Amino acid sequence: MRTALILNPTAGASQLSRQKMTEGELEAALLQTLRSLDIEAEIYHTTLEDPGLGIARQLVAEHIELIVAVGGDGTIHSVAHGLIGSESVLGIIPAGTMNNLAHCLGIPEELEEACALLTNGEARYIDVGMINGHTFLEVAGIGLEAELFPAAEEVKSRGILSTIKGVTSGLATLIRFRPPLMKVTFNGGKPRTYRAMQLTVCNSPYYGPHMSIAPDILMDDGWLDVVLYRNFSKREYIQHAISISQGRRTFTPKIIHRRVRSLRVSTNEIVEVQADGIIYGHTPAEISIRANALKVQVPRARVPGLLPAIREQITQKVKGKRRTYA
């Protein structure tokens, strides 16, 4: 099998194999481990100009069978977007801070185990979401969550000054934010209006620091999970965010949870829209699911974000009957 690695040169700064690696050490360790598995891979490096998307598209055009992204979620997302709709398989070697997509798909962070998965795992199709023409793998958000993302990125950056700046900026955003009126149409039905702090659309079971906001979210069931924070006070929002970040609670009575194939959201004032941490303009927003759009190499064992293999085969035959509105 012809294999290519798309490597972020700055990868390895996080706890990969429970130890930090320099750029050269990570690449050398990767090549040595892959050779021990009889994998000879072509190496490509991301740049500021091309974080992986362009390279991935070129490799797809060359009919490369297995394209392995090495880096954090940003690198993996960029490479994945270049593979959507193709027959090339995405391999993942997590080497970032959160490694959230790998966590959703049961891919280990240890270097040797992640590499071994390229040979002893299996290729599975997953769904992707679309919001205003942009693709997302994990989560899209409308409202407070989108406005807080710049502050969250500051907090994730290294250094106490960045953390303080991010916390201060986040508190200022929270204080001035006014929950808008959201007119929401589920699956082309009758529009409903809510006063909502935010609306989150999930394709993956976890996002951010491995937070889960609704149970049983899967990446290969042909549905998106919508979580609407209606009539939340800012205090309640903070309490809920802390709770789910610690895995203690997934629901409150003020949360509406729906499973949909399409969604339209308009607001009484301009509200920002984000997908996988990137701001994509503002409302109105058209959101939909693109089923079976991406092939990913995952473990053969049960993983958090996918149907068991046998159930997957059944679901493909009776698509749409397994899940309905909550």
Side-chain angles (χ1 to χ4, degrees):
M1 178 183 296
R2 191 177 172 192
T3 302
L5 294 184
I6 301 178
L7 173 67
N8 182 341
T10 63
S14 67
Q15 298 294 328
L16 184 66
S17 296
R18 299 182 182 178
Q19 62 182 346
K20 293 184 178 180
M21 294 184 179
T22 65
E23 300 168 16
E25 288 172 342
L26 174 59
E27 185 168 339
L30 266 172
L31 292 176
Q32 181 178 354
T33 304
L34 291 174
R35 288 184 184 125
S36 72
L37 297 168
D38 294 325
I39 299 175
E40 289 293 335
E42 305 167 29
I43 307 292
Y44 299 85
H45 295 93
T46 65
T47 63
L48 291 176
E49 295 75 22
D50 184 358
L53 175 62
I55 302 171
R57 284 177 172 168
Q58 180 58 42
L59 294 174
V60 167
E62 296 176 13
H63 305 291
I64 304 297
E65 297 164 278
L66 177 62
I67 300 172
V68 184
V70 185
D73 284 321
T75 300
I76 293 166
H77 286 189
S78 186
V79 173
H81 287 175
L83 272 63
I84 290 172
S86 77
E87 285 302 307
S88 295
V89 177
L90 173 68
I92 296 174
I93 306 293
T97 305
M98 296 300 174
N99 302 319
N100 195 64
L101 189 60
H103 181 69
C104 293
L105 295 173
I107 297 169
E109 294 189 17
E110 288 72 20
L111 178 61
E112 293 79 8
E113 293 182 22
C115 288
L117 190 62
L118 301 178
T119 59
N120 62 27
E122 63 178 345
R124 295 276 298 273
Y125 284 99
I126 65 171
D127 308 327
V128 301
M130 300 293 296
I131 181 165
N132 288 352
H134 301 282
T135 304
F136 65 94
L137 301 179
E138 297 178 32
V139 170
I142 299 171
L144 180 58
E145 184 177 63
E147 300 212 9
L148 284 174
F149 254 92
E153 289 301 306
E154 289 281 359
V155 173
K156 284 168 58 179
S157 300
R158 298 179 192 174
I160 186 65
L161 291 179
S162 292
T163 299
I164 293 173
K165 182 180 177 183
V167 170
T168 303
S169 174
L171 288 173
T173 299
L174 180 63
I175 290 170
R176 70 171 179 266
F177 184 80
R178 295 181 304 168
L181 282 174
M182 294 188 182
K183 182 181 289 186
V184 186
T185 303
F186 301 105
N187 287 329
K190 182 179 178 181
R192 305 180 185 185
T193 301
Y194 306 92
R195 175 74 67 179
M197 186 76 73
Q198 75 180 44
L199 182 147
T200 304
V201 184
C202 302
N203 183 52
S204 66
Y206 305 102
Y207 77 106
H210 299 174
M211 291 194 303
S212 175
I213 61 174
D216 304 323
I217 296 176
L218 298 170
M219 301 187 73
D220 60 348
D221 64 348
W223 296 90
L224 292 170
D225 286 68
V226 179
V227 179
L228 187 69
Y229 292 70
R230 61 170 181 170
N231 300 324
F232 263 62
S233 70
K234 292 175 181 179
R235 179 180 177 181
E236 288 171 329
Y237 180 85
I238 293 172
Q239 290 174 330
H240 182 77
I242 292 173
S243 180
I244 65 172
S245 70
Q246 297 175 351
R248 295 202 309 262
R249 178 178 62 184
T250 55
F251 284 104
T252 73
K254 293 183 178 181
I255 283 182
I256 294 174
H257 177 210
R258 297 286 179 91
R259 290 187 170 112
V260 305
R261 297 192 193 280
S262 66
L263 182 73
R264 189 179 194 280
V265 183
S266 60
T267 52
N268 63 327
E269 55 189 83
I270 292 176
V271 179
E272 286 192 322
V273 172
Q274 69 85 17
D276 289 341
I278 300 174
I279 299 297
Y280 288 119
H282 51 76
T283 51
E286 298 280 351
I287 307 166
S288 61
I289 186 79
R290 184 174 174 185
N292 299 329
L294 177 66
K295 290 176 75 173
V296 186
Q297 189 79 353
V298 299
R300 294 180 182 275
R302 180 75 170 97
V303 299
L306 299 179
L307 289 161
I310 295 176
R311 287 175 61 201
E312 181 198 33
Q313 296 171 11
I314 296 173
T315 300
Q316 296 305 319
K317 297 178 182 179
V318 293
K319 204 74 168 179
K321 294 184 180 180
R322 178 180 174 270
R323 288 191 159 195
T324 59
Y325 269 158

